[in-house]
Structures are given as structure tokens and as C-alpha cells.
């Protein structure tokens, strides 16, 4: 069992930055890949980025590549999403998720556990 709690969301102007954190509890966190997803009002959930269990591999959606960075600290059971050069279209509820395996996964149904989400709003 893995429990995930996101934090760090908020309101930011376009061009600004935010760092989201996802604190995990449970004995298997360090052996799982972790992912970030987002869902905007009226839209389907979409993949943002993911990181392998060791942190050696990352994978990003084209829409955020070069602007967002996923990292993790297994000693702290925490995964991060650094978001730079934010755009109004990045406005969404952001979720972290724990994958069933250790390799990066861009597909939501490969993830077993989900956090409750944190709102990110980017004003123009």
C-alpha cells in the first residue's frame, strides 16, 4: 500500500515557476516508478512526466518538455515536479501516481496509487 500526498500548488503568473512535491508512505516507494499527471476542467487526464525507481530515467510529454523536470529523493520518500516558464494552458489539477513497476510509464493505467491532487492556476 502506498499513500501519496501532493503539495505546492497555487496561483502563479505566466512565465513563473512552481515546485510540486509528492510525499509517499509505504515500504515499496523506492522500487516504483513515479509519474505526474494533470487534468484541466472539461478535459481528460493527461500524462506530464515520469521518473524511474532510481531516478536515472525520465520521460516527459511534448507539451512540457524543456520546461518541467521530475526528480525524486528516495531517502525522503518524495518526488518533485519543477515547473518553469508556466503557461495558462498548464492550469490543471496535478496528480502524482505510483507505478506498478520500476520503469517510466506514460500511461495512467500502469499506475496503482494516486494522490488527491493539487491545483495549479497560471494567470495570463
Amino acid at each position: 500500500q502506498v499513500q501519496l500526498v501532493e503539495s505546492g500548488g497555487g496561483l502563479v503568473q505566466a512565465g513563473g515557476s512552481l515546485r510540486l512535491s509528492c510525499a509517499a508512505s509505504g515500504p515499496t516507494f523506492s522500487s516504483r516508478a513515479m509519474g505526474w499527471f494533470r487534468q484541466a476542467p472539461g478535459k481528460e487526464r493527461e500524462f506530464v512526466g515520469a521518473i524511474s525507481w532510481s531516478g536515472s530515467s525520465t520521460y516527459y510529454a511534448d507539451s512540457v518538455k524543456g520546461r518541467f523536470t521530475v526528480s525524486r529523493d528516495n531517502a525522503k520518500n518524495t518526488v518533485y515536479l519543477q515547473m518553469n516558464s508556466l503557461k495558462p494552458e498548464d492550469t490543471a489539477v496535478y496528480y502524482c501516481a505510483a507505478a506498478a513497476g520500476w520503469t517510466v510509464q506514460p500511461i495512467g493505467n500502469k499506475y496503482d496509487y494516486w494522490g488527491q491532487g493539487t491545483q495549479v492556476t497560471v494567470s495570463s
Side-chain angles (χ1 to χ4, degrees):
Q1 186 82 4
V2 177
Q3 293 183 325
L4 305 171
V5 179
E6 302 97 335
S7 61
L11 173 64
V12 63
Q13 288 188 333
S17 299
L18 279 176
R19 189 176 81 155
L20 305 184
S21 299
C22 175
S25 62
T28 62
F29 167 78
S30 61
S31 64
R32 293 175 180 265
M34 297 294 293
W36 286 95
F37 292 77
R38 66 186 182 187
Q39 187 166 20
K43 294 187 176 182
E44 293 187 354
R45 182 183 64 195
E46 66 173 349
F47 170 77
V48 175
I51 189 166
S52 62
W53 72 275
S54 65
S56 61
S57 297
T58 54
Y59 184 76
Y60 298 95
D62 288 343
S63 58
V64 307
K65 201 173 294 182
R67 300 188 297 123
F68 290 12
T69 302
V70 182
S71 61
R72 68 189 296 163
D73 185 339
N74 285 345
K76 295 183 178 180
N77 275 17
T78 302
V79 63
Y80 305 97
L81 178 65
Q82 178 67 44
M83 305 185 292
N84 299 329
S85 302
L86 282 161
K87 305 174 182 179
E89 52 263 44
D90 293 319
T91 295
V93 177
Y94 283 72
Y95 300 89
C96 72
W102 56 84
T103 57
V104 293
Q105 299 287 349
I107 304 171
N109 63 13
K110 298 295 186 181
Y111 290 80
D112 287 343
Y113 300 99
W114 295 80
Q116 83 290 348
T118 186
Q119 176 71 46
V120 171
T121 303
V122 184
S123 63
S124 56

